[in-house]
Amino acid sequence: MNTETSNRRLSAILAADVVGFSSMMAKDESATMESLKKHRKIVLDPLIEAHGGRIVKLMGDGVLVEFSSVVAAVQSAIAIQQNTAAEDGPIQLRIGVNLGDVIIDGSDIYGDGVNVAARLESLASTGAVCISDIVYQSLTGKRDMEFKDLGEQQLKNIDRPVRVWQWLGAADPSRAKSSFPGEHKRPSIAVLAFTNMSGDPEQEYFSDGISEDIITELCRFDELFVIARNSSFSYKGKSTKIQKIAEDLGIDYVVEGSVRRSGQRVRITVQLIEATSGSHIWAERYDRELEDIFNLQDEITKSIVTVLPLRLSQALIEVSNQKSQGNLSAYEYVLRARWLENHTSHNVPEMLDLLDKALELDPESAHAYSMIAFIHAYSVFTFSPIGEDPTITAVEKIEKALELAENDHFVQTSAGHVYLICGQHDLAKIHIDRSLTINPNDLWLLLNHGIYTNYCGDHERGIQIIKNALAHDPLAPDHWLEALAEATYVLGTYDDAIELYLRWKNPPVHMYTHLAACHAQLGNMDKAQEAAALFEKERPPESDFTFYANSHARLCKHPEDAEHWLEGYRKAGLID
């Protein structure tokens, strides 16, 4: 008998751990251990035994369990989360389930099947269960719980992408540490099956594929409640009014579209509609050459999904701006603060006031903490820094946001930006990479990825990432051009940087210092002095440009890039 073969078997693996265990232990070690023992006695052990599981090992705040049945493993995981939620105690779990080959070593097991389960657990939201695609496919005919498709994920130390599905049944925002601002009804949206207008029934797979991919990718945005495909596709081929669909599904917004193919060209139209009134919020048309149909499907899906949540957010802001502050939810306070954010100091007091109000309504609003962290960090560039060292508060607030919602793409993106401003490039990379794994469709993330790449020294790649991000949205705000201008400056193409800076309407005062540096590097001293004079005229009284210059240089990972900026400021006469 082959010994290696005899020491292997196919098993369903459940990996679970306690959310925030370290911070709980730091606050009250005895109470935490007592709660954990109680949870194991009342919830974990009985439910694992009832579903035929074998506890392989307990690891402080975690547990590894082996099942012979994949269905039993998933049923056990869901029952554990449901009963944990019902207990309403301090213990909250993340659970991952995988089906794979394991190696037997006495009573222990290890191998790829175990590793994937552990990575799935770390990916799961609080109160949720993440399962691999092989587990999901094994549940065919037995799925009495709805799973959300998270798409393919690159799991740490796993050499292949894994498609992941998540069950969120126990993740009730009213009690769990939610990954989006609480105490509000998430905007709900249904993506209808796109209409095939090609006159060729065989093209139906393409129009359906576009719609299905949009649903999958929109599900990455935790701030949206996306109706499942089975429900939204039930109206396919029917002439049903949008208002009736809204009533049936209980939704706020609808995405509909059409696909028309003619020869080797395809035209895809998409519309975002306010469901109750039927009014159009956004519409776009995509005309493309039909070369590789699958690549085209991916390209169009990404273009739509990258800009659609932004347009929806703008529509929600318009609605919230029509309300008095006393009638706003925590979510709407955060939306208003986002609307005011334009990289200047003028709106900072109002933004912080709005975010404080959001936290009064929802003390666990991770998005509010993220924005407060970003505002403090970015204040080093506004000539009105908040306190002597705003980065201290920024780090405290972003750590709080990460504790509340480590699997939220907005929180992870904010963390990447905050740590970059603090000059902690390795930490910034961890969070930028994490946010790209969670949701590569977030336009702000794509822009921040380019900013990070530029300041870490890969300037040409940074420019390309930024250009690709901006290409998704021709209506992007002017201040987003700053990222492209700064990357262009470091490459030494100062004329291009000047052109970008001059496109900025109502620029913040620091833009004049960048403009002065560009002109000074070109030897255009008259224009450099003109820009410096505009800066001196508009800068806040007693502001410290040397502090700004050093903060700007700290963004650069490589000393030569930092010196490049300081050199430009020196040539322009802004610093000694």
Side-chain angles (χ1 to χ4, degrees):
M1 179 183 291
N2 186 312
T3 304
E4 183 178 353
T5 302
S6 66
N7 286 339
R8 292 177 178 270
R9 63 173 172 245
L10 185 68
S11 296
I13 308 300
L14 181 154
D17 83 339
V18 178
V19 178
F21 182 75
S22 297
S23 60
M24 290 168 63
M25 288 289 283
K27 291 176 184 176
D28 193 332
E29 187 173 312
S30 297
T32 300
M33 290 308 299
E34 188 61 34
S35 296
L36 188 57
K37 288 177 183 176
K38 178 182 176 184
H39 180 267
R40 284 175 176 165
K41 181 178 180 180
I42 296 176
V43 176
L44 208 61
D45 292 355
L47 288 173
I48 290 171
E49 183 180 355
H51 290 87
R54 178 181 75 88
I55 295 179
V56 177
K57 59 177 121 179
L58 295 169
M59 303 159 288
D61 64 331
V63 61
L64 186 70
V65 187
E66 182 184 22
F67 292 83
S68 58
S69 162
V70 68
V71 175
V74 174
Q75 289 175 339
S76 176
I78 290 175
I80 288 168
Q81 291 291 38
Q82 289 173 329
N83 281 268
T84 300
E87 283 292 309
D88 202 25
I91 301 299
Q92 296 183 72
L93 302 176
R94 284 186 294 254
I95 298 180
V97 179
N98 183 45
L99 176 65
D101 197 36
V102 299
I103 301 170
I104 315 303
D105 184 9
S107 61
D108 200 359
I109 57 174
Y110 59 94
D112 194 52
V114 176
N115 296 338
V116 171
R119 299 306 177 201
L120 291 169
E121 168 265 300
S122 65
L123 191 65
S125 303
T126 301
V129 178
C130 273
I131 64 175
S132 58
D133 190 57
I134 191 172
V135 171
Y136 182 78
Q137 299 304 329
S138 301
L139 300 178
T140 303
K142 305 179 182 68
R143 299 181 195 138
D144 55 352
M145 297 291 178
E146 186 171 329
F147 287 84
K148 170 182 171 182
D149 188 355
L150 300 185
E152 287 197 340
Q153 302 285 330
Q154 188 62 59
L155 305 179
K156 184 178 179 182
N157 296 331
I158 304 300
D159 59 5
R160 67 193 185 283
V162 176
R163 189 174 184 182
V164 180
W165 300 79
Q166 182 167 239
W167 175 83
L168 284 163
D172 178 2
S174 68
R175 69 166 299 276
K177 295 179 179 179
S178 65
S179 56
F180 52 87
E183 292 196 8
H184 78 287
K185 176 181 175 289
R186 282 183 288 169
S188 53
I189 189 166
V191 181
L192 304 183
F194 278 31
T195 304
N196 173 24
M197 301 182 69
S198 303
D200 179 2
E202 291 187 5
Q203 299 305 316
E204 203 79 12
Y205 73 91
F206 181 68
S207 55
D208 282 358
I210 292 283
S211 311
E212 290 169 352
D213 284 354
I214 291 172
I215 292 170
T216 298
E217 296 305 311
L218 282 180
C219 284
R220 295 178 183 267
F221 292 84
D222 278 349
E223 59 268 35
L224 301 178
F225 181 84
V226 184
I227 298 298
R229 176 198 183 281
N230 288 346
S231 296
S232 59
F233 269 49
S234 65
Y235 299 92
K236 183 178 177 179
K238 301 176 183 177
S239 299
T240 311
K241 289 185 177 181
I242 295 294
Q243 290 87 343
K244 179 66 167 63
I245 295 173
E247 181 182 344
D248 290 348
L249 300 179
I251 53 170
D252 306 311
Y253 300 92
V254 166
V255 176
E256 65 174 9
S258 64
V259 177
R260 184 187 297 275
R261 179 177 177 178
S262 178
Q264 286 303 110
R265 288 192 63 80
V266 62
R267 169 172 292 178
I268 298 168
T269 62
V270 59
Q271 300 176 85
L272 174 63
I273 302 168
E274 200 282 313
T276 304
S277 66
S279 59
H280 287 65
I281 295 170
W282 169 70
E284 190 59 83
R285 186 178 72 193
Y286 302 88
D287 290 312
R288 297 289 191 275
E289 291 290 336
L290 191 59
E291 295 175 356
D292 185 318
I293 194 167
F294 297 109
N295 286 341
L296 176 62
Q297 184 172 320
D298 289 344
E299 177 204 338
I300 296 295
T301 298
K302 186 170 184 62
S303 295
I304 292 171
V305 173
T306 300
V307 73
L308 191 150
L310 187 62
R311 295 292 175 265
L312 179 55
S313 177
Q314 290 167 342
L316 293 168
I317 289 168
E318 289 179 12
V319 171
S320 73
N321 281 340
Q322 296 169 9
K323 298 181 180 180
S324 65
Q325 282 207 14
N327 293 324
L328 296 181
S329 66
Y331 180 61
E332 288 170 318
Y333 278 117
V334 173
L335 280 177
R336 278 200 180 185
R338 283 193 203 174
W339 178 69
L340 288 170
E341 192 275 310
N342 63 356
H343 290 201
T344 72
S345 60
H346 306 304
N347 294 326
V348 164
E350 185 178 355
M351 290 167 66
L352 291 175
D353 180 61
L354 289 167
L355 295 168
D356 284 343
K357 287 183 168 63
L359 288 173
E360 286 175 12
L361 292 174
D362 178 12
E364 296 192 336
S365 171
H367 283 201
Y369 281 113
S370 295
M371 284 205 67
I372 292 171
F374 177 77
I375 291 166
H376 276 79
Y378 196 84
S379 75
V380 301
F381 303 131
T382 65
F383 301 103
S384 299
I386 307 170
E388 290 186 10
D389 188 355
T391 60
I392 294 174
T393 300
V395 170
E396 289 176 355
K397 298 300 182 182
I398 204 63
E399 286 179 350
K400 176 66 174 177
L402 288 166
E403 179 186 328
L404 290 167
E406 64 178 347
N407 289 315
D408 182 88
H409 64 99
F410 180 84
V411 172
Q412 289 288 344
T413 304
S414 299
H417 206 127
V418 166
Y419 287 120
L420 177 62
I421 293 173
C422 295
Q424 299 184 47
H425 296 86
D426 291 341
L427 267 178
K429 183 180 190 310
I430 288 170
H431 292 288
I432 290 289
D433 288 350
R434 175 68 174 144
S435 56
L436 284 167
T437 298
I438 297 170
N439 187 359
N441 305 308
D442 185 328
L443 197 52
W444 191 52
L445 162 59
L446 296 175
L447 193 67
N448 275 294
H449 183 211
I451 292 170
Y452 169 82
T453 302
N454 168 53
Y455 276 111
C456 283
D458 195 347
H459 312 302
E460 291 185 355
R461 182 167 173 262
I463 286 176
Q464 194 56 55
I465 293 171
I466 294 167
K467 283 183 175 179
N468 289 343
L470 293 174
H472 286 297
D473 189 4
L475 302 178
D478 290 339
H479 65 256
W480 285 14
L481 294 172
E482 182 177 21
L484 189 57
E486 290 183 6
T488 305
Y489 171 92
V490 179
L491 276 180
T493 50
Y494 307 115
D495 285 322
D496 292 340
I498 289 169
E499 182 184 348
L500 287 165
Y501 283 124
L502 291 179
R503 286 167 58 184
W504 198 335
K505 301 181 184 70
N506 303 314
V509 66
H510 75 257
M511 188 275 286
Y512 295 114
T513 69
H514 292 207
L515 202 56
C518 289
H519 282 302
Q521 294 285 18
L522 287 168
N524 301 331
M525 298 313 299
D526 288 345
K527 290 186 176 180
Q529 290 168 9
E530 182 182 331
L534 284 170
F535 167 66
E536 293 295 339
K537 179 182 177 182
E538 296 189 18
R539 69 189 291 184
E542 302 179 1
S543 56
D544 184 352
F545 181 72
T546 301
F547 175 82
Y548 171 93
N550 290 330
S551 298
H552 191 189
R554 187 171 59 196
L555 288 171
C556 303
K557 186 174 184 178
H558 301 297
E560 59 269 27
D561 290 337
E563 175 56 29
H564 192 168
W565 278 107
L566 296 174
E567 177 189 62
Y569 294 141
R570 278 194 295 268
K571 286 182 177 179
L574 292 165
I575 58 174
D576 297 327

